[in-house]
Amino acid sequence: LHVHPGKLPEFRGSTTIYYSILAGKTICATLIQMDSGIDTGPTIFAQEFEVPSSLVDVDYVFDPILRTEVLIAYLEQSTTDSTFKNLGCSEAISGSHPIFFIIHPVLKHLAIKKQRGGW
């Protein structure tokens, strides 16, 4: 499962919160079952949010909160009615190349500090 911070299929890809704001739309987060495409899996649940005030850090505060709220809302709904489906999990993708994810900003800072000899 993946909570995407955008209304799918309209806002696929990265930084969709900002594109939603620029388009004058409400912000939406969509829970999907991941597949091999980018934000193309089946939609399971979605929820809309108001645009945050300018005092809220979108990347480090608002985005994680809306993703969490969508996942919690889905799980609460799915435990009170019969729509819950056990989606299951497939085995991890194997291959000869490692998979890299976007590094957490704190880890990135520590790596740069170590690289520069400030450790």
PDB file of all heavy atoms in Angstrom, residues 1 4 10 23 27-28 39-40 42 44 49 53-54 56 61 64 71-72 74 78 81 87 93 110-111 118:
ATOM      1  N   LEU A   1       0.836  -1.187   0.000  1.00  0.00           N
ATOM      2  CA  LEU A   1       0.000   0.000   0.000  1.00  0.00           C
ATOM      3  C   LEU A   1       0.874   1.242   0.000  1.00  0.00           C
ATOM      4  O   LEU A   1       1.965   1.230   0.545  1.00  0.00           O
ATOM      5  CB  LEU A   1      -0.891   0.015   1.247  1.00  0.00           C
ATOM      6  CG  LEU A   1      -1.918  -1.089   1.390  1.00  0.00           C
ATOM      7  CD1 LEU A   1      -2.669  -0.937   2.697  1.00  0.00           C
ATOM      8  CD2 LEU A   1      -2.875  -1.124   0.230  1.00  0.00           C
ATOM      9  N   HIS A   4      -0.363   8.296  -1.568  1.00  0.00           N
ATOM     10  CA  HIS A   4       0.199   9.284  -2.490  1.00  0.00           C
ATOM     11  C   HIS A   4      -0.389  10.653  -2.165  1.00  0.00           C
ATOM     12  O   HIS A   4      -1.613  10.784  -2.055  1.00  0.00           O
ATOM     13  CB  HIS A   4      -0.146   8.890  -3.928  1.00  0.00           C
ATOM     14  CG  HIS A   4       0.201   9.930  -4.936  1.00  0.00           C
ATOM     15  ND1 HIS A   4       1.498  10.172  -5.321  1.00  0.00           N
ATOM     16  CD2 HIS A   4      -0.570  10.796  -5.622  1.00  0.00           C
ATOM     17  CE1 HIS A   4       1.499  11.147  -6.217  1.00  0.00           C
ATOM     18  NE2 HIS A   4       0.256  11.545  -6.417  1.00  0.00           N
ATOM     19  N   GLU A  10      -5.214  12.297 -11.557  1.00  0.00           N
ATOM     20  CA  GLU A  10      -4.933  13.657 -12.028  1.00  0.00           C
ATOM     21  C   GLU A  10      -3.535  14.146 -11.669  1.00  0.00           C
ATOM     22  O   GLU A  10      -2.860  14.771 -12.483  1.00  0.00           O
ATOM     23  CB  GLU A  10      -5.975  14.616 -11.442  1.00  0.00           C
ATOM     24  CG  GLU A  10      -5.885  16.019 -11.950  1.00  0.00           C
ATOM     25  CD  GLU A  10      -6.978  16.914 -11.379  1.00  0.00           C
ATOM     26  OE1 GLU A  10      -7.850  16.428 -10.647  1.00  0.00           O
ATOM     27  OE2 GLU A  10      -6.932  18.118 -11.672  1.00  0.00           O
ATOM     28  N   ALA A  23      -2.661  24.848  -8.989  1.00  0.00           N
ATOM     29  CA  ALA A  23      -3.865  24.685  -9.815  1.00  0.00           C
ATOM     30  C   ALA A  23      -5.116  25.181  -9.109  1.00  0.00           C
ATOM     31  O   ALA A  23      -6.199  25.160  -9.699  1.00  0.00           O
ATOM     32  CB  ALA A  23      -4.028  23.218 -10.203  1.00  0.00           C
ATOM     33  N   ILE A  27      -6.244  19.853  -1.677  1.00  0.00           N
ATOM     34  CA  ILE A  27      -5.193  18.837  -1.636  1.00  0.00           C
ATOM     35  C   ILE A  27      -5.841  17.501  -1.300  1.00  0.00           C
ATOM     36  O   ILE A  27      -6.724  17.423  -0.458  1.00  0.00           O
ATOM     37  CB  ILE A  27      -4.124  19.220  -0.599  1.00  0.00           C
ATOM     38  CG1 ILE A  27      -3.425  20.497  -1.078  1.00  0.00           C
ATOM     39  CG2 ILE A  27      -3.127  18.093  -0.396  1.00  0.00           C
ATOM     40  CD1 ILE A  27      -2.500  21.109  -0.072  1.00  0.00           C
ATOM     41  N   CYS A  28      -5.412  16.489  -1.979  1.00  0.00           N
ATOM     42  CA  CYS A  28      -5.979  15.161  -1.791  1.00  0.00           C
ATOM     43  C   CYS A  28      -4.847  14.181  -1.551  1.00  0.00           C
ATOM     44  O   CYS A  28      -3.741  14.358  -2.054  1.00  0.00           O
ATOM     45  CB  CYS A  28      -6.758  14.756  -3.046  1.00  0.00           C
ATOM     46  SG  CYS A  28      -7.626  13.191  -2.905  1.00  0.00           S
ATOM     47  N   ASP A  39       2.499   5.581  -9.570  1.00  0.00           N
ATOM     48  CA  ASP A  39       1.173   6.032  -9.125  1.00  0.00           C
ATOM     49  C   ASP A  39       0.059   5.537 -10.031  1.00  0.00           C
ATOM     50  O   ASP A  39      -0.870   6.267 -10.369  1.00  0.00           O
ATOM     51  CB  ASP A  39       1.131   7.563  -9.014  1.00  0.00           C
ATOM     52  CG  ASP A  39       2.195   8.105  -8.075  1.00  0.00           C
ATOM     53  OD1 ASP A  39       2.515   7.412  -7.097  1.00  0.00           O
ATOM     54  OD2 ASP A  39       2.697   9.205  -8.319  1.00  0.00           O
ATOM     55  N   THR A  40       0.134   4.280 -10.440  1.00  0.00           N
ATOM     56  CA  THR A  40      -0.858   3.720 -11.356  1.00  0.00           C
ATOM     57  C   THR A  40      -1.651   2.572 -10.754  1.00  0.00           C
ATOM     58  O   THR A  40      -2.518   2.019 -11.417  1.00  0.00           O
ATOM     59  CB  THR A  40      -0.186   3.219 -12.649  1.00  0.00           C
ATOM     60  OG1 THR A  40       0.785   2.223 -12.315  1.00  0.00           O
ATOM     61  CG2 THR A  40       0.463   4.353 -13.409  1.00  0.00           C
ATOM     62  N   PRO A  42      -4.323   0.366  -8.329  1.00  0.00           N
ATOM     63  CA  PRO A  42      -5.751   0.552  -8.048  1.00  0.00           C
ATOM     64  C   PRO A  42      -5.967   1.463  -6.840  1.00  0.00           C
ATOM     65  O   PRO A  42      -5.306   1.327  -5.820  1.00  0.00           O
ATOM     66  CB  PRO A  42      -6.249  -0.856  -7.744  1.00  0.00           C
ATOM     67  CG  PRO A  42      -5.200  -1.782  -8.239  1.00  0.00           C
ATOM     68  CD  PRO A  42      -3.919  -1.028  -8.244  1.00  0.00           C
ATOM     69  N   ILE A  44      -7.735   2.733  -3.591  1.00  0.00           N
ATOM     70  CA  ILE A  44      -8.449   2.085  -2.504  1.00  0.00           C
ATOM     71  C   ILE A  44      -9.274   3.087  -1.703  1.00  0.00           C
ATOM     72  O   ILE A  44     -10.413   2.823  -1.330  1.00  0.00           O
ATOM     73  CB  ILE A  44      -7.456   1.354  -1.573  1.00  0.00           C
ATOM     74  CG1 ILE A  44      -6.709   0.279  -2.364  1.00  0.00           C
ATOM     75  CG2 ILE A  44      -8.158   0.770  -0.363  1.00  0.00           C
ATOM     76  CD1 ILE A  44      -5.522  -0.300  -1.647  1.00  0.00           C
ATOM     77  N   PHE A  49      -8.155  17.616   1.648  1.00  0.00           N
ATOM     78  CA  PHE A  49      -7.704  18.480   2.736  1.00  0.00           C
ATOM     79  C   PHE A  49      -7.669  19.916   2.246  1.00  0.00           C
ATOM     80  O   PHE A  49      -7.458  20.171   1.072  1.00  0.00           O
ATOM     81  CB  PHE A  49      -6.290  18.082   3.190  1.00  0.00           C
ATOM     82  CG  PHE A  49      -6.199  16.694   3.733  1.00  0.00           C
ATOM     83  CD1 PHE A  49      -5.997  15.611   2.881  1.00  0.00           C
ATOM     84  CD2 PHE A  49      -6.306  16.454   5.090  1.00  0.00           C
ATOM     85  CE1 PHE A  49      -5.910  14.328   3.377  1.00  0.00           C
ATOM     86  CE2 PHE A  49      -6.223  15.174   5.590  1.00  0.00           C
ATOM     87  CZ  PHE A  49      -6.030  14.110   4.734  1.00  0.00           C
ATOM     88  N   SER A  53      -1.956  26.594   6.058  1.00  0.00           N
ATOM     89  CA  SER A  53      -1.534  27.985   6.199  1.00  0.00           C
ATOM     90  C   SER A  53      -0.063  28.100   5.820  1.00  0.00           C
ATOM     91  O   SER A  53       0.672  27.109   5.795  1.00  0.00           O
ATOM     92  CB  SER A  53      -1.730  28.459   7.639  1.00  0.00           C
ATOM     93  OG  SER A  53      -0.760  27.881   8.490  1.00  0.00           O
ATOM     94  N   SER A  54       0.365  29.309   5.535  1.00  0.00           N
ATOM     95  CA  SER A  54       1.749  29.527   5.104  1.00  0.00           C
ATOM     96  C   SER A  54       2.750  29.224   6.211  1.00  0.00           C
ATOM     97  O   SER A  54       3.941  29.115   5.955  1.00  0.00           O
ATOM     98  CB  SER A  54       1.926  30.965   4.618  1.00  0.00           C
ATOM     99  OG  SER A  54       1.653  31.861   5.680  1.00  0.00           O
ATOM    100  N   VAL A  56       2.816  26.472   7.976  1.00  0.00           N
ATOM    101  CA  VAL A  56       3.040  25.034   8.073  1.00  0.00           C
ATOM    102  C   VAL A  56       4.067  24.600   7.033  1.00  0.00           C
ATOM    103  O   VAL A  56       3.950  24.935   5.860  1.00  0.00           O
ATOM    104  CB  VAL A  56       1.721  24.260   7.853  1.00  0.00           C
ATOM    105  CG1 VAL A  56       1.964  22.770   7.834  1.00  0.00           C
ATOM    106  CG2 VAL A  56       0.712  24.619   8.911  1.00  0.00           C
ATOM    107  N   VAL A  61       5.911  18.579   7.686  1.00  0.00           N
ATOM    108  CA  VAL A  61       4.810  18.526   8.644  1.00  0.00           C
ATOM    109  C   VAL A  61       3.517  18.107   7.952  1.00  0.00           C
ATOM    110  O   VAL A  61       2.924  17.082   8.280  1.00  0.00           O
ATOM    111  CB  VAL A  61       4.630  19.885   9.372  1.00  0.00           C
ATOM    112  CG1 VAL A  61       3.437  19.843  10.304  1.00  0.00           C
ATOM    113  CG2 VAL A  61       5.894  20.256  10.133  1.00  0.00           C
ATOM    114  N   PRO A  64       3.453  14.447   5.793  1.00  0.00           N
ATOM    115  CA  PRO A  64       3.355  13.241   6.622  1.00  0.00           C
ATOM    116  C   PRO A  64       2.034  13.139   7.404  1.00  0.00           C
ATOM    117  O   PRO A  64       1.505  12.047   7.578  1.00  0.00           O
ATOM    118  CB  PRO A  64       4.534  13.356   7.586  1.00  0.00           C
ATOM    119  CG  PRO A  64       5.456  14.336   6.980  1.00  0.00           C
ATOM    120  CD  PRO A  64       4.630  15.246   6.129  1.00  0.00           C
ATOM    121  N   LEU A  71      -4.340   7.011   5.943  1.00  0.00           N
ATOM    122  CA  LEU A  71      -4.165   5.606   6.299  1.00  0.00           C
ATOM    123  C   LEU A  71      -5.003   5.242   7.524  1.00  0.00           C
ATOM    124  O   LEU A  71      -5.675   4.209   7.547  1.00  0.00           O
ATOM    125  CB  LEU A  71      -2.682   5.300   6.543  1.00  0.00           C
ATOM    126  CG  LEU A  71      -2.330   3.838   6.763  1.00  0.00           C
ATOM    127  CD1 LEU A  71      -2.798   2.967   5.609  1.00  0.00           C
ATOM    128  CD2 LEU A  71      -0.833   3.690   6.969  1.00  0.00           C
ATOM    129  N   ILE A  72      -5.005   6.101   8.535  1.00  0.00           N
ATOM    130  CA  ILE A  72      -5.810   5.840   9.737  1.00  0.00           C
ATOM    131  C   ILE A  72      -7.300   5.822   9.393  1.00  0.00           C
ATOM    132  O   ILE A  72      -8.037   4.937   9.844  1.00  0.00           O
ATOM    133  CB  ILE A  72      -5.501   6.876  10.840  1.00  0.00           C
ATOM    134  CG1 ILE A  72      -4.104   6.619  11.403  1.00  0.00           C
ATOM    135  CG2 ILE A  72      -6.550   6.838  11.945  1.00  0.00           C
ATOM    136  CD1 ILE A  72      -3.601   7.716  12.330  1.00  0.00           C
ATOM    137  N   TYR A  74      -8.730   5.111   6.571  1.00  0.00           N
ATOM    138  CA  TYR A  74      -9.037   3.878   5.836  1.00  0.00           C
ATOM    139  C   TYR A  74      -9.097   2.686   6.778  1.00  0.00           C
ATOM    140  O   TYR A  74     -10.019   1.877   6.720  1.00  0.00           O
ATOM    141  CB  TYR A  74      -8.016   3.621   4.726  1.00  0.00           C
ATOM    142  CG  TYR A  74      -8.199   2.249   4.125  1.00  0.00           C
ATOM    143  CD1 TYR A  74      -9.291   1.972   3.314  1.00  0.00           C
ATOM    144  CD2 TYR A  74      -7.302   1.227   4.405  1.00  0.00           C
ATOM    145  CE1 TYR A  74      -9.483   0.706   2.786  1.00  0.00           C
ATOM    146  CE2 TYR A  74      -7.490  -0.038   3.875  1.00  0.00           C
ATOM    147  CZ  TYR A  74      -8.579  -0.295   3.072  1.00  0.00           C
ATOM    148  OH  TYR A  74      -8.773  -1.551   2.557  1.00  0.00           O
ATOM    149  N   SER A  78     -12.287   0.425   7.505  1.00  0.00           N
ATOM    150  CA  SER A  78     -12.249  -0.968   7.091  1.00  0.00           C
ATOM    151  C   SER A  78     -12.488  -1.930   8.246  1.00  0.00           C
ATOM    152  O   SER A  78     -12.860  -3.071   8.023  1.00  0.00           O
ATOM    153  CB  SER A  78     -10.921  -1.284   6.406  1.00  0.00           C
ATOM    154  OG  SER A  78      -9.858  -1.179   7.315  1.00  0.00           O
ATOM    155  N   ASP A  81     -16.715  -1.865   8.760  1.00  0.00           N
ATOM    156  CA  ASP A  81     -17.651  -2.366   7.747  1.00  0.00           C
ATOM    157  C   ASP A  81     -17.016  -3.526   6.986  1.00  0.00           C
ATOM    158  O   ASP A  81     -15.907  -3.939   7.263  1.00  0.00           O
ATOM    159  CB  ASP A  81     -18.122  -1.254   6.803  1.00  0.00           C
ATOM    160  CG  ASP A  81     -16.998  -0.643   5.974  1.00  0.00           C
ATOM    161  OD1 ASP A  81     -16.034  -1.352   5.659  1.00  0.00           O
ATOM    162  OD2 ASP A  81     -17.096   0.548   5.635  1.00  0.00           O
ATOM    163  N   LEU A  87      -5.297  -7.442   1.053  1.00  0.00           N
ATOM    164  CA  LEU A  87      -4.644  -7.299  -0.244  1.00  0.00           C
ATOM    165  C   LEU A  87      -3.440  -8.214  -0.398  1.00  0.00           C
ATOM    166  O   LEU A  87      -2.985  -8.473  -1.487  1.00  0.00           O
ATOM    167  CB  LEU A  87      -4.222  -5.838  -0.452  1.00  0.00           C
ATOM    168  CG  LEU A  87      -5.371  -4.844  -0.456  1.00  0.00           C
ATOM    169  CD1 LEU A  87      -4.834  -3.428  -0.503  1.00  0.00           C
ATOM    170  CD2 LEU A  87      -6.304  -5.097  -1.617  1.00  0.00           C
ATOM    171  N   ILE A  93      11.092  -7.961  -4.726  1.00  0.00           N
ATOM    172  CA  ILE A  93      11.690  -8.069  -6.059  1.00  0.00           C
ATOM    173  C   ILE A  93      13.162  -8.392  -5.898  1.00  0.00           C
ATOM    174  O   ILE A  93      13.884  -7.732  -5.159  1.00  0.00           O
ATOM    175  CB  ILE A  93      11.524  -6.750  -6.832  1.00  0.00           C
ATOM    176  CG1 ILE A  93      10.035  -6.462  -7.029  1.00  0.00           C
ATOM    177  CG2 ILE A  93      12.254  -6.786  -8.156  1.00  0.00           C
ATOM    178  CD1 ILE A  93       9.751  -5.094  -7.572  1.00  0.00           C
ATOM    179  N   LEU A 110      24.238  14.132   7.901  1.00  0.00           N
ATOM    180  CA  LEU A 110      25.327  13.418   8.574  1.00  0.00           C
ATOM    181  C   LEU A 110      26.354  12.889   7.573  1.00  0.00           C
ATOM    182  O   LEU A 110      27.561  12.929   7.826  1.00  0.00           O
ATOM    183  CB  LEU A 110      24.764  12.278   9.424  1.00  0.00           C
ATOM    184  CG  LEU A 110      23.961  12.706  10.652  1.00  0.00           C
ATOM    185  CD1 LEU A 110      23.339  11.492  11.313  1.00  0.00           C
ATOM    186  CD2 LEU A 110      24.824  13.484  11.635  1.00  0.00           C
ATOM    187  N   ALA A 111      25.877  12.400   6.423  1.00  0.00           N
ATOM    188  CA  ALA A 111      26.805  11.894   5.399  1.00  0.00           C
ATOM    189  C   ALA A 111      27.675  13.016   4.854  1.00  0.00           C
ATOM    190  O   ALA A 111      28.890  12.846   4.666  1.00  0.00           O
ATOM    191  CB  ALA A 111      26.008  11.232   4.276  1.00  0.00           C
ATOM    192  N   GLY A 118      33.962  16.631   9.277  1.00  0.00           N
ATOM    193  CA  GLY A 118      33.435  17.277  10.479  1.00  0.00           C
ATOM    194  C   GLY A 118      32.787  16.327  11.446  1.00  0.00           C
ATOM    195  O   GLY A 118      31.987  16.698  12.268  1.00  0.00           O
TER     196      GLY A 118
END
